[in-house]
Every structure is written in C-alpha cells, then in structure tokens.
Amino acid sequence: MGSVHEKEDDSVYVGSQPRTRAEFYDPSKESVWTRVGLTFESFKRAPGTTGGQVVAGSQNVADLEKVLADAPMLQPKMKPRHLTMIAVGGSIGTGLFVGSGSALREGGPAGVLIAWILIGIMLINVTQALGEMSILYPVSGGFYTLAVRFLDPSYAFAMGWNYVFQWAVVLPLEITVAGTTVQYWGTDIMPLAAWITIFWAVITIVSVFGTLGFAEEEFWSSCLKLLVVVMFIFIGVVCICGGGPSGHAYDHYIGGSKWQDPGAFANGFKGVCSVFVVAAFAFAGTELVGLAASETPNPRETMPAAVKGTFWRITVIYVTSLTIIGLLIGYDEPRLLGGDADVAGAAASPFVIALKDAGISGLDHFVNATICISVLSIGLSCVYAGSRTLTALAETGYAPSFFAYVDKSSRPLWSLIAILVWAPLAYVNVVTAGDTVFRWLLALSGLSTLFTWLSICLCHIRFRRAWQVQGHSVDELPFKALGGVYGSWFGVILIVLVLIAQFYIAIWPIGGMPDSPRETAENFFGGWLHFSRFQAMSLTGTIDSATYLAVPVMILFYIIGYAWKRTLPQRAHEIDLDSGRKSWLTAEEMNEWRAERRRAPWYIRIYRILFTN
C-alpha cells in the first residue's frame, strides 16, 4: 500500500502515487453453472481477484484500484444471513447435545454453568477483537494472516499448520460420529463402513459447490439446531413446573430439587476444572466467522451482527439450555456419557434422556436426527476452515504454492482436496485399534483451538498498540471491540487459566492418578479421558481433550518456521497497517456517522446496540 505521509486531525490518507491498473475477474460473465462449480470450466484458475469488497472512505484513497486489487482471490459470495447464522449456530454440535452430559456428570449443574459462563465471556471478548480486525482487514486466512502481521510469522506458521491439522483429523472423526449417530435407530440397518462412505460422499458433494454450498448448509442446519434448542427450552420449563405427561418423571413440580439431591457440584474443585476445559472446547469453531469475513462483500455491514450473534448464542443457547438440563437431570444419572450405564452415542445426550423421561414420544428421534445433521455440519466446517487456512499459508509462503490455487467457482481446489483426502481415515474406526490411532492423531493438535484464541487476543493487543503508535485514532475504526484492549487481556488470562486447569487435570485426574507411570504419561500426552468413537467429539465439539503432546509439536513447528524464513516480530511502528485495509474513513467522518446514528429513535438504537453496529 502507498506510503502514509499526509495527516490532518487524526485522519489518514494514502499518499499520491502512479495509479495502478489492476486486472479484475468478473464471474458474472461466466455461465451460472460455472459460477456454482458444475462445469469443467469452473475448475480452471480464476484469472484474478474480483475486487468485489466495499472500500469505505474510498474518497480518501489516491489509488482506489490498488486498494480493490489488494483483496483475497476468494470471491465474496456470502450473504449477511449466512454470516449471521454461522456465528449464531455454526459451532453448536455434539459438544452441546451430548458432551454437556459428560460435563454435568463430572462438574454438576453449578460447575457447568460457572465454566460455560466464564468461557462464554472470554469468547465474547475474542469475537469482539476478531470483529474489529476482520472488518478493517477482511484478508484471506483471517486470524492466521493477522498473526503473521501483528505477532510473529514463525509463530503464525506453527499456529496455522496446527489449526489445519486439527480440522484435517477431526473430519474423519466427524464422519465416524455421524455413522454412530445413525446407529441409534439400529445397528443392523447398515454396516458402519457403509455409513462412513455415504457421509464422506455427502460432504464431498456439498464441497463441490464451494463457499455457497458451505454457507447454505450452515444457514439451514443452524436454523434447525436453533429450533431444536429453543423447543427444548420451552418443553424443559414446562416439565420443571410439573407440566409433563401424566405417569412420567415430570408430572409434578421438581423446581431445583436436582441441585439439592444429588447436589450442585460433583467431584469438587477437580470437577469444575474438568468442565472448564470441556466448556472451552465446546465453543471451538466460533472463530470461523473471522475466516468468512474475507468472503463477504461488505464486512463493515455484516460482521457486527455476526459478532454480536455470538453473545446471543452463548446466553440463549448454551447458558439457558444447560440451566434447563441441570434442573431436569441429576449429575448421577447413569445414562450420561461416561456413566455407569455405559451408554454411547446419541442415547447419552441429556436432551434425549430428558425427553425420554418426560414420556414425549418421537422427539428423541427428532433430536437424534438434529445431532446427525450437526455432526455433518461440523464436518463441512472442517473442510472450510482447513482449506481456507491452508490457502492462506500458501499465499504467505509457508505452504507449497499450488495450495494458493483458486478456481473460477471460488474454490481453493487443491486445499479442499488436501483436507478431503483425510476422510478415509474414518474407516480405521471400524476396528478397535482405530480408537488408539485417533487418540494420538488428535493429541498432536490438541491445543490448537486455545492457541488460535490466544493469537486473536494477542493480535488485537498488538494491533491497537501499532494503531496508536503510528498516529491513528481509535475513532477511525469502523467497529470497536466492546472491551477494548482490556477485553483481550481478559481473554488471554482466561485462556492461560484453561491451560493450567488442563495441566492440573492431566496430572491429577478425577478418580486419582493411575498406578502405572506409563499410563500417567499416556494420560498427560494423549488425553486424560478414555477415548471412544463418540466421546472425542461429543465431549469437546472438536477434539477429545486438550493434550500436551501439542506443546512440543507447536515448538517444533515454530523452530522450523524460524529456520525457514528467519523472521522476527516487528516493532509497533514497523507493522504494516495498510495492506488489505478496507476502511479509510477519517475520525471526523466516523464520528459524524456515529452522531447521526445516535439521533435515531430509542428503539432503533437499542436494536442496533443488541444486534448490529
């Protein structure tokens, strides 16, 4: 981007330079079948970026074509409704529908609420920070590319590859979980291997449609998940008040009796620590909205609603539904995941257990179908997140250049293939040894989600510092994180506490330390929970547990990245604040815009505070 040399009243203008003549690709000239990815022509390399992202404050830019050309190769196909539903319902899956039962068994209803609320507050700060940066810089690779710029390229290399590997390994596990979920209706319908083949084919077919295929699937599956959760909340309130069918568990008022007997906490402090970890990973995938920002035409318009949607997902979906579950089911319920009844799969879902106990026939099957769709949805998220990050790694020189290939239908083709080829690993789960294979594969990237969130918070802290040092005003920002830098520091502290809690539980697990030193080491490096085909995803939403084998892996990748490129973190005054920037409004223009918004009627202002910018 051009040098910044003209500053007036906290306003930054791009200096005069010879104008750039950029070549833009216009997909509208292609046939509709090519645009949706169903012709041979669609697989050819896109000749250039579309330049389709809106540049706010374009009147302040000397070379607008250069700013438009400095954009991702991926086409901005996502609509506002897609981005909003990805944020609100995208990461809702087995972590809530099934894994919450394991959390209830280990921590009790109070422990579950404490952990989910604290991690939820942390995630609100993470998404606010991500929103602030993604609206200003809707760059390919989202938080990975921002980490290259604001933190350290070597660390970003380690974090980015760990993130790709996490999703690549989770994909075959999700496919296996989908097959296991279907077996709720009978194990003799079809062999597990056949179900794996079907679900692999479904994910591949949807991936052929690229961004729109993923976005539409996420929109409708999120609508279904929200419907089920809201329906469950209403049914749960009625059952708690004694309005359940006569002759069943909830035909009389139960109120908060489950908090008295068996109690509010299970396993004391260790129980709360274990739930703290599970809660953190149940929110995994929330950061995908930062990747999606580069594929929406106007992030300034759509991202604030998506970011604030995270708050509503945490409060309405997670906290409210978990409160209902804690009032309906005691933590000593043997059918919960990992309980004495040794129930696995969807049958261990507290949602299914509560509806069965209520005597409401048919709804347990509806919930199980929703769990199956949720699992497939997360499988598609694996392909989307892994492929986009791998493409960004190639664009920044940290992966083979052919992974930067983007075709005319806006598919990062080779990156998609690179993630999809991991799917056949699901077949190893057909045999008993498959559990052990996945346990160690997942352990390699076990802390990826926490490292990613930590990177986002640290990026925001460094961005704000560079923004200030280079003479910018916070008023220039089109969207300001709710907690500012303090919110990001709070996120850093909570993430560190989660890591400490994981370390504590890994060394001193619930039930005591094993007698064998070898078993202790395996628990520490390979996960502190017994691994099973369904447990891994149902406990965390992405992986079975944060495992410290990922730490030496991250260190090794950092060393490789540094040895390869020999790069060091930049000083605040050296950080590039112009490349990929899509908002050039001055502080005066932004303050005038905010003043105009404040003149709106009170009910519109409240709506904007809660749901938009």
Side-chain angles (χ1 to χ4, degrees), residues 410-421:
S410 191
R411 292 170 299 209
L413 200 58
W414 294 112
S415 296
L416 279 175
I417 294 171
I419 302 300
L420 285 169
V421 295

Side-chain angles (χ1 to χ4, degrees), residues 526-602:
W528 50 270
L529 290 165
H530 175 67
F531 189 87
S532 70
R533 288 177 184 149
F534 202 92
Q535 256 180 320
M537 292 309 301
S538 60
L539 281 177
T540 65
T542 51
I543 53 175
D544 62 326
S545 66
T547 50
Y548 276 83
L549 182 59
V551 174
V553 171
M554 277 287 294
I555 294 172
L556 175 63
F557 269 74
Y558 176 84
I559 294 171
I560 293 172
Y562 177 74
W564 184 5
K565 300 291 185 179
R566 299 283 180 176
T567 55
L568 292 171
Q570 291 183 308
R571 303 289 297 271
H573 68 276
E574 299 171 333
I575 292 175
D576 177 13
L577 293 178
D578 289 342
S579 296
R581 182 176 167 186
K582 290 296 180 285
S583 178
W584 295 87
L585 293 165
T586 66
E588 289 78 7
E589 289 169 334
M590 284 304 306
N591 286 331
E592 182 180 345
W593 176 79
R594 292 184 180 108
E596 182 182 350
R597 306 275 283 186
R598 285 194 293 268
R599 289 193 288 269
W602 64 269

Side-chain angles (χ1 to χ4, degrees), residues 339-352:
D340 297 334
D342 197 26
V343 176
S349 167
F351 289 77
V352 172

